[in-house]
mmCIF file of all heavy atoms in Angstrom:
data_model
loop_
_atom_site.group_PDB
_atom_site.id
_atom_site.type_symbol
_atom_site.label_atom_id
_atom_site.label_comp_id
_atom_site.label_asym_id
_atom_site.label_seq_id
_atom_site.Cartn_x
_atom_site.Cartn_y
_atom_site.Cartn_z
ATOM 1 N N LEU A 10 277.653 101.285 -88.673
ATOM 2 C CA LEU A 10 277.929 101.735 -87.309
ATOM 3 C C LEU A 10 276.673 102.181 -86.576
ATOM 4 O O LEU A 10 276.463 101.818 -85.403
ATOM 5 C CB LEU A 10 278.958 102.874 -87.319
ATOM 6 C CG LEU A 10 279.313 103.454 -85.945
ATOM 7 C CD1 LEU A 10 279.944 102.385 -85.061
ATOM 8 C CD2 LEU A 10 280.248 104.656 -86.093
ATOM 9 N N VAL A 14 275.328 100.861 -82.873
ATOM 10 C CA VAL A 14 275.149 101.755 -81.729
ATOM 11 C C VAL A 14 273.727 101.663 -81.201
ATOM 12 O O VAL A 14 273.494 101.602 -79.987
ATOM 13 C CB VAL A 14 275.509 103.206 -82.119
ATOM 14 C CG1 VAL A 14 275.113 104.177 -81.006
ATOM 15 C CG2 VAL A 14 277.003 103.325 -82.403
ATOM 16 N N VAL A 24 281.009 102.164 -77.867
ATOM 17 C CA VAL A 24 280.759 101.105 -78.843
ATOM 18 C C VAL A 24 281.868 101.155 -79.891
ATOM 19 O O VAL A 24 282.245 102.237 -80.357
ATOM 20 C CB VAL A 24 279.392 101.288 -79.535
ATOM 21 C CG1 VAL A 24 279.193 100.211 -80.609
ATOM 22 C CG2 VAL A 24 278.259 101.226 -78.520
ATOM 23 N N THR A 25 282.383 99.985 -80.239
ATOM 24 C CA THR A 25 283.386 99.874 -81.299
ATOM 25 C C THR A 25 282.917 98.873 -82.339
ATOM 26 O O THR A 25 282.416 97.800 -81.987
ATOM 27 C CB THR A 25 284.746 99.427 -80.719
ATOM 28 O OG1 THR A 25 285.303 100.478 -79.931
ATOM 29 C CG2 THR A 25 285.729 99.078 -81.829
ATOM 30 N N LEU A 26 283.082 99.222 -83.604
ATOM 31 C CA LEU A 26 282.834 98.306 -84.709
ATOM 32 C C LEU A 26 284.086 98.282 -85.573
ATOM 33 O O LEU A 26 284.440 99.278 -86.201
ATOM 34 C CB LEU A 26 281.628 98.750 -85.540
ATOM 35 C CG LEU A 26 281.319 97.886 -86.769
ATOM 36 C CD1 LEU A 26 280.942 96.462 -86.352
ATOM 37 C CD2 LEU A 26 280.200 98.510 -87.612
ATOM 38 N N VAL A 36 288.310 100.933 -87.974
ATOM 39 C CA VAL A 36 287.816 100.734 -86.609
ATOM 40 C C VAL A 36 286.996 101.964 -86.263
ATOM 41 O O VAL A 36 287.536 103.060 -86.093
ATOM 42 C CB VAL A 36 288.958 100.539 -85.605
ATOM 43 C CG1 VAL A 36 288.387 100.288 -84.208
ATOM 44 C CG2 VAL A 36 289.854 99.380 -86.019
ATOM 45 N N HIS A 37 285.690 101.801 -86.200
ATOM 46 C CA HIS A 37 284.770 102.900 -85.915
ATOM 47 C C HIS A 37 284.449 102.907 -84.418
ATOM 48 O O HIS A 37 284.127 101.859 -83.839
ATOM 49 C CB HIS A 37 283.477 102.738 -86.717
ATOM 50 C CG HIS A 37 283.698 102.608 -88.183
ATOM 51 N ND1 HIS A 37 283.979 103.695 -88.987
ATOM 52 C CD2 HIS A 37 283.698 101.518 -88.997
ATOM 53 C CE1 HIS A 37 284.132 103.290 -90.235
ATOM 54 N NE2 HIS A 37 283.966 101.968 -90.266
ATOM 55 N N CYS A 38 284.512 104.079 -83.809
ATOM 56 C CA CYS A 38 284.300 104.193 -82.370
ATOM 57 C C CYS A 38 283.249 105.248 -82.073
ATOM 58 O O CYS A 38 283.178 106.290 -82.749
ATOM 59 C CB CYS A 38 285.601 104.563 -81.663
ATOM 60 S SG CYS A 38 286.931 103.378 -81.969
ATOM 61 N N HIS A 39 282.465 104.989 -81.048
ATOM 62 C CA HIS A 39 281.381 105.890 -80.672
ATOM 63 C C HIS A 39 281.366 106.059 -79.163
ATOM 64 O O HIS A 39 281.501 105.093 -78.405
ATOM 65 C CB HIS A 39 280.036 105.314 -81.123
ATOM 66 C CG HIS A 39 278.847 106.037 -80.563
ATOM 67 N ND1 HIS A 39 278.314 107.162 -81.164
ATOM 68 C CD2 HIS A 39 278.101 105.807 -79.445
ATOM 69 C CE1 HIS A 39 277.276 107.583 -80.446
ATOM 70 N NE2 HIS A 39 277.134 106.782 -79.400
ATOM 71 N N GLY A 40 281.212 107.303 -78.714
ATOM 72 C CA GLY A 40 280.970 107.546 -77.298
ATOM 73 C C GLY A 40 282.225 107.742 -76.462
ATOM 74 O O GLY A 40 283.308 108.041 -76.961
ATOM 75 N N PRO A 49 287.325 109.778 -74.779
ATOM 76 C CA PRO A 49 286.595 109.159 -75.892
ATOM 77 C C PRO A 49 286.963 107.698 -76.101
ATOM 78 O O PRO A 49 288.067 107.251 -75.762
ATOM 79 C CB PRO A 49 287.045 109.996 -77.093
ATOM 80 C CG PRO A 49 288.436 110.430 -76.728
ATOM 81 C CD PRO A 49 288.410 110.655 -75.241
ATOM 82 N N CYS A 50 286.032 106.960 -76.655
ATOM 83 C CA CYS A 50 286.304 105.602 -77.110
ATOM 84 C C CYS A 50 287.196 105.675 -78.352
ATOM 85 O O CYS A 50 286.937 106.468 -79.268
ATOM 86 C CB CYS A 50 284.997 104.898 -77.437
ATOM 87 S SG CYS A 50 285.170 103.210 -78.044
ATOM 88 N N THR A 51 288.266 104.875 -78.388
ATOM 89 C CA THR A 51 289.213 104.874 -79.499
ATOM 90 C C THR A 51 289.447 103.427 -79.964
ATOM 91 O O THR A 51 289.005 102.482 -79.309
ATOM 92 C CB THR A 51 290.562 105.479 -79.076
ATOM 93 O OG1 THR A 51 291.258 104.524 -78.237
ATOM 94 C CG2 THR A 51 290.371 106.796 -78.317
ATOM 95 N N PRO A 52 290.170 103.248 -81.071
ATOM 96 C CA PRO A 52 290.475 101.878 -81.514
ATOM 97 C C PRO A 52 291.260 101.062 -80.490
ATOM 98 O O PRO A 52 291.266 99.828 -80.569
ATOM 99 C CB PRO A 52 291.291 102.098 -82.788
ATOM 100 C CG PRO A 52 290.779 103.394 -83.336
ATOM 101 C CD PRO A 52 290.544 104.242 -82.119
ATOM 102 N N GLU A 53 291.928 101.739 -79.549
ATOM 103 C CA GLU A 53 292.700 101.033 -78.521
ATOM 104 C C GLU A 53 291.915 100.835 -77.227
ATOM 105 O O GLU A 53 292.422 100.198 -76.293
ATOM 106 C CB GLU A 53 293.999 101.801 -78.220
ATOM 107 C CG GLU A 53 294.842 102.113 -79.444
ATOM 108 C CD GLU A 53 295.250 100.862 -80.213
ATOM 109 O OE1 GLU A 53 295.448 99.812 -79.571
ATOM 110 O OE2 GLU A 53 295.369 100.933 -81.450
ATOM 111 N N THR A 54 290.720 101.383 -77.126
ATOM 112 C CA THR A 54 289.913 101.216 -75.912
ATOM 113 C C THR A 54 289.677 99.733 -75.653
ATOM 114 O O THR A 54 289.252 98.995 -76.531
ATOM 115 C CB THR A 54 288.571 101.954 -76.050
ATOM 116 O OG1 THR A 54 288.820 103.357 -76.099
ATOM 117 C CG2 THR A 54 287.661 101.657 -74.866
ATOM 118 N N PHE A 56 287.910 96.482 -74.060
ATOM 119 C CA PHE A 56 286.606 95.947 -73.648
ATOM 120 C C PHE A 56 286.806 94.531 -73.102
ATOM 121 O O PHE A 56 287.671 93.793 -73.580
ATOM 122 C CB PHE A 56 285.639 95.872 -74.834
ATOM 123 C CG PHE A 56 285.215 97.190 -75.408
ATOM 124 C CD1 PHE A 56 286.083 97.950 -76.188
ATOM 125 C CD2 PHE A 56 283.927 97.667 -75.192
ATOM 126 C CE1 PHE A 56 285.678 99.156 -76.737
ATOM 127 C CE2 PHE A 56 283.509 98.873 -75.744
ATOM 128 C CZ PHE A 56 284.391 99.627 -76.505
ATOM 129 N N GLY A 237 289.422 97.239 -80.259
ATOM 130 C CA GLY A 237 288.968 96.920 -81.603
ATOM 131 C C GLY A 237 290.090 96.735 -82.599
ATOM 132 O O GLY A 237 290.036 95.849 -83.451
#
Side-chain angles (χ1 to χ4, degrees):
L10 179 62
V14 171
V24 177
T25 290
L26 177 63
V36 182
H37 305 282
C38 302
H39 169 86
C50 179
T51 74
E53 307 302 327
T54 293
F56 293 74

